[in-house]
């Protein structure tokens, strides 16, 4: 009995969908295995680091107590491999920082600058100076001395009589 074309099309689509599902599940299985392997490698690395650290601490302890005379264990410690950067002196800022310091000034602390400190409390430098908003001191050069209230009152009484 011959099958119709539409039936054969359905069968072919079904086979293709099964095949893709199998491929997906195999990929997922491989990824899971790789993850497990990666985790295992990471755990091994961490265990190795802990072991090295423990050995180093024991060697330091022995040296401190006097059981060991030489500091050979420090030479055995391998420096971490990786890209080595040349460390700049922390007192000399980088070129970018130097340029900004030159342009804007060094800076300094901005916050908490108005807090009362023991120095500011004991200081009497700010007392006795009257200043306006521009920081200029008030002067009585142009201002004529005005007599007090009682003197002005007495002057008025003296003028009426």
């Amino acid at each position: 009995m011959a099958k119709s074309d539409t039936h054969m099309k359905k069968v072919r689509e079904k086979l293709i969908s099964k095949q893709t599902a199998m491929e997906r599940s195999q990929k997922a299985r491989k990824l899971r295995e790789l993850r497990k392997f990666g985790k295992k490698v990471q755990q091994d690395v961490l265990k190795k680091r802990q072991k090295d650290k423990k050995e180093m601490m024991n060697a330091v302890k022995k040296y401190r107590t006097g059981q060991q005379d030489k500091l050979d264990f420090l030479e055995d410690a391998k420096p971490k491999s990786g890209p080595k950067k040349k460390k700049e002196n922390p007192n000399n800022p980088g070129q970018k920082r130097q340029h900004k310091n030159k342009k804007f000034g060094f800076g300094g602390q901005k916050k908490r600058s108005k807090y009362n400190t023991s120095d500011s409390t004991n200081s009497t430098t700010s007392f006795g100076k009257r200043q306006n908003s521009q920081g200029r001191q008030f002067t009585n050069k142009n201002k004529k001395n005005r007599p007090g209230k009682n003197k002005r009152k007495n002057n008025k009484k003296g003028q009426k009589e």
Side-chain angles (χ1 to χ4, degrees), residues 50-61 73:
Q50 287 175 343
K51 182 183 167 194
D52 291 344
K53 184 178 177 183
K54 194 173 188 180
E55 287 175 3
M56 174 71 78
M57 295 306 289
N58 285 337
V60 169
K61 202 176 204 179
F73 58 89

Side-chain angles (χ1 to χ4, degrees), residues 14-25:
K14 191 98 163 174
L15 285 171
I16 290 172
S17 66
K18 280 185 180 179
Q19 208 171 12
T20 55
M22 285 292 285
E23 287 174 2
R24 282 189 197 136
S25 64

